[in-house]
Amino acid sequence: MADPGMSVAPYWELTFDADGDPEGAERDRLLGEVTAHGLHDLIVFAHGWNNDRSGATSLYRRFFAPIPKLVPKARIGYVGVVWPSMRFCDEPIPDFPKSVVATEAEQRPAPVLDKDTRHALLDTFPGRATVVDQIARMLDQRPANGLAEFGRLVRLLVEVLPGGPQPLFAADTVAEGVPQSEPVLFTGDATALCEEFAQTLAALRQGPGAAAFALPDPWDGAKELLRQATYYAMKRRAGTVGERGLGRVVGQLAGVAPQLRVHLVGHSFGGRLVSFALRGLPGGVRTVKSVTLLQGAFSHYAFAARLPHDPRAGGVLQGQENRIDGPLVCCYSRFDEALGTMYPLASRMADDCESVLGVDVGDALGARWGALGHDGVQAVPGTRSLDLAAALRGPLAAPGCVNVDAAAVVKRGGPPSGAHSDIVHPELARVVLAAGRIG
């Protein structure tokens, strides 16, 4: 078993590559050992934005820590999923020690693309060292009339090129009879895109009710264009790892331990990963007893059969909640700025049917292009809505979708992400236990 310093036992890790292939020795160890522990439940957690195994393991150690005391008689095993995602190193995570990057930035002027983020880009997109160097240089130098070239480099980094193979982008809704084209986020005018990101970032930093501000330099939004392009690559990767990787492993677990009750938990893009794992389950497998999404970074219409604004279109995961022998619980918070503002803005830019310009960031934008982690599951009949206190009183065990407003605890963090990573709370661990009828 991995990491003797883990806060719970038995604990295993499952590592997947970008194509969803598991590390064979880890998978075989889990399949070979799980029955020996006499477990009743297995909690499987997938991280979201992250740069390395140690960061993922630290998240799991801290999130799992209160569970043994909450349900001391329960026979629970734990799995931490590790997959190749990426977090920009300037994004703060509540309760984590201040990063070297943040400390250095306070002491002296730092490059726009810090050393750790450059390394993370190289690890996430191997073979692109020259492109990363050019992007970093342009962000520092801000050459006049250089944003078109900057946009081309960003597309090259994440392999989204006009006329090229299927882009590293995956929509969470699909329209009948409408072919998917390359997203505007990657093919539109880079100057206009960066300008809109710059304006939105300036508004976030000033806060609500601030006086009007001068139009910022479009280069102020260039790093956000890079950030969002990278996240769309991670979004597609999360779906691939879930469907081709984790879903198949859960099916194999059902083969060796058919009575084991499996509970999937995902944060951010990890929520997309565990949701797509439902699509990868072999037919007839009913061992998944709950799915809990923590600040899920994908469309709030992903499970919808039909979209309110387009009857031809539905969610890419429509009906998949029926693969769960229990509830799909979606925790969300209005304090998540990454999902409340930047996600719908980038989603609109990636909508091949819509103009990039002409819609204000706000309620209308969030309603159409919003994320699960901002306002919960939408357009799925029968979805229940609870505040956190009501959810903790339970029960949550009935099948179907349940939205839980977790803003009472998920509320700390500054721009551009807000409270997106503020998920390590015993109350949220209790939600996982309530969703799965554990203990």
Side-chain angles (χ1 to χ4, degrees):
M1 274 170 281
D3 194 350
M6 178 54 61
S7 58
V8 291
Y11 171 79
W12 297 267
E13 284 185 353
L14 275 176
T15 302
F16 296 91
D17 66 17
D19 297 318
D21 293 324
E23 201 284 321
E26 290 181 343
R27 177 201 55 202
D28 294 346
R29 186 179 304 117
L30 170 64
L31 296 175
E33 295 178 357
V34 71
T35 57
H37 292 274
L39 302 177
H40 188 256
D41 297 275
L42 186 72
I43 300 175
V44 181
F45 197 149
H47 64 77
W49 303 342
N50 180 59
N51 284 341
D52 54 31
R53 178 182 295 272
S54 63
T57 301
S58 177
L59 169 63
Y60 301 146
R61 179 187 300 114
R62 296 165 65 244
F63 189 89
F64 290 148
I67 292 179
K69 291 183 179 179
L70 291 171
V71 283
K73 296 183 180 180
R75 303 193 309 276
I76 308 173
Y78 305 84
V79 173
V81 173
V82 180
W83 62 286
S85 66
M86 181 188 159
R87 179 181 67 84
F88 276 63
C89 298
D90 60 344
E91 295 175 4
I93 298 179
D95 294 335
F96 270 58
K98 184 176 292 187
S99 69
V100 174
V101 172
T103 303
E104 290 178 348
E106 292 174 357
Q107 296 171 349
R108 59 176 173 77
V112 176
L113 206 60
D114 60 79
K115 176 179 62 178
D116 289 346
T117 297
R118 290 175 68 167
H119 288 163
L121 286 168
L122 292 173
D123 288 342
T124 305
F125 304 106
R128 294 287 191 272
T130 300
V131 177
V132 171
D133 287 345
Q134 289 176 298
I135 286 173
R137 190 178 309 113
M138 293 190 78
L139 285 171
D140 285 334
Q141 297 176 354
R142 298 186 169 207
N145 303 316
L147 283 169
E149 173 63 10
F150 180 81
R152 186 190 72 82
L153 291 170
V154 168
R155 292 194 294 269
L156 181 61
L157 177 69
V158 300
E159 297 180 323
V160 180
L161 297 172
Q166 181 181 1
L168 290 180
F169 166 81
D172 289 322
T173 58
V174 292
E176 298 170 2
V178 178
Q180 286 188 288
S181 60
E182 290 140 348
V184 176
L185 179 63
F186 303 118
T187 60
D189 180 85
T191 300
L193 296 172
C194 291
E195 185 176 68
E196 189 159 4
F197 277 131
Q199 292 175 18
T200 302
L201 287 168
L204 281 175
R205 293 186 181 110
Q206 291 201 356
F213 53 88
L215 290 178
D217 184 340
W219 276 104
D220 293 343
K223 184 177 180 180
E224 193 61 33
L225 177 66
L226 171 64
R227 191 193 311 267
Q228 294 299 331
T230 301
Y231 289 161
Y232 270 100
M234 297 305 98
K235 182 178 181 179
R236 179 184 184 276
R237 184 175 291 180
T240 298
V241 173
E243 185 168 357
R244 299 180 185 174
L246 182 59
R248 292 176 181 176
V249 173
V250 172
Q252 293 169 336
L253 276 168
V256 300
Q259 303 305 314
L260 185 64
R261 306 173 73 251
V262 176
H263 311 277
L264 304 181
V265 183
H267 169 235
S268 186
F269 285 143
R272 194 173 195 268
L273 190 157
V274 299
S275 297
F276 271 75
L278 300 172
R279 290 211 323 188
L281 290 176
V285 170
R286 301 290 295 175
T287 55
V288 176
K289 303 301 180 182
S290 68
V291 172
T292 304
L293 309 179
L294 305 173
Q295 302 310 116
F298 59 116
S299 173
H300 55 195
Y301 292 133
F303 294 93
R306 288 290 179 268
L307 306 189
H309 56 273
D310 187 352
R312 302 171 304 164
V316 71
L317 293 170
Q318 57 183 279
Q320 291 301 317
E321 70 274 14
N322 298 323
R323 301 296 307 272
I324 310 168
D325 188 21
L328 183 144
V329 177
C330 177
C331 295
Y332 67 93
S333 171
R334 64 184 179 276
F335 298 113
D336 188 332
E337 292 176 353
L339 301 185
T341 301
M342 301 312 300
Y343 178 91
L345 177 59
S347 294
R348 173 165 60 81
M349 291 177 175
D351 189 320
D352 56 271
C353 300
E354 299 295 328
S355 168
V356 172
L357 304 177
V359 179
D360 293 333
V361 175
D363 292 341
L365 180 60
R368 183 157 181 175
W369 286 278
L372 285 157
H374 180 65
D375 59 3
V377 175
Q378 301 295 315
V380 177
T383 298
R384 291 162 285 162
S385 296
L386 303 170
D387 62 19
L388 184 59
L392 294 178
R393 289 194 297 269
L396 299 177
C401 298
V402 183
N403 288 330
V404 176
D405 184 347
V409 295
V410 181
K411 57 186 178 182
R412 294 176 298 158
S417 296
H420 184 69
S421 294
D422 185 21
I423 62 163
V424 179
H425 298 282
E427 293 88 347
L428 297 184
R430 290 171 59 194
V431 170
V432 172
L433 298 175
R437 295 160 287 172
I438 301 175

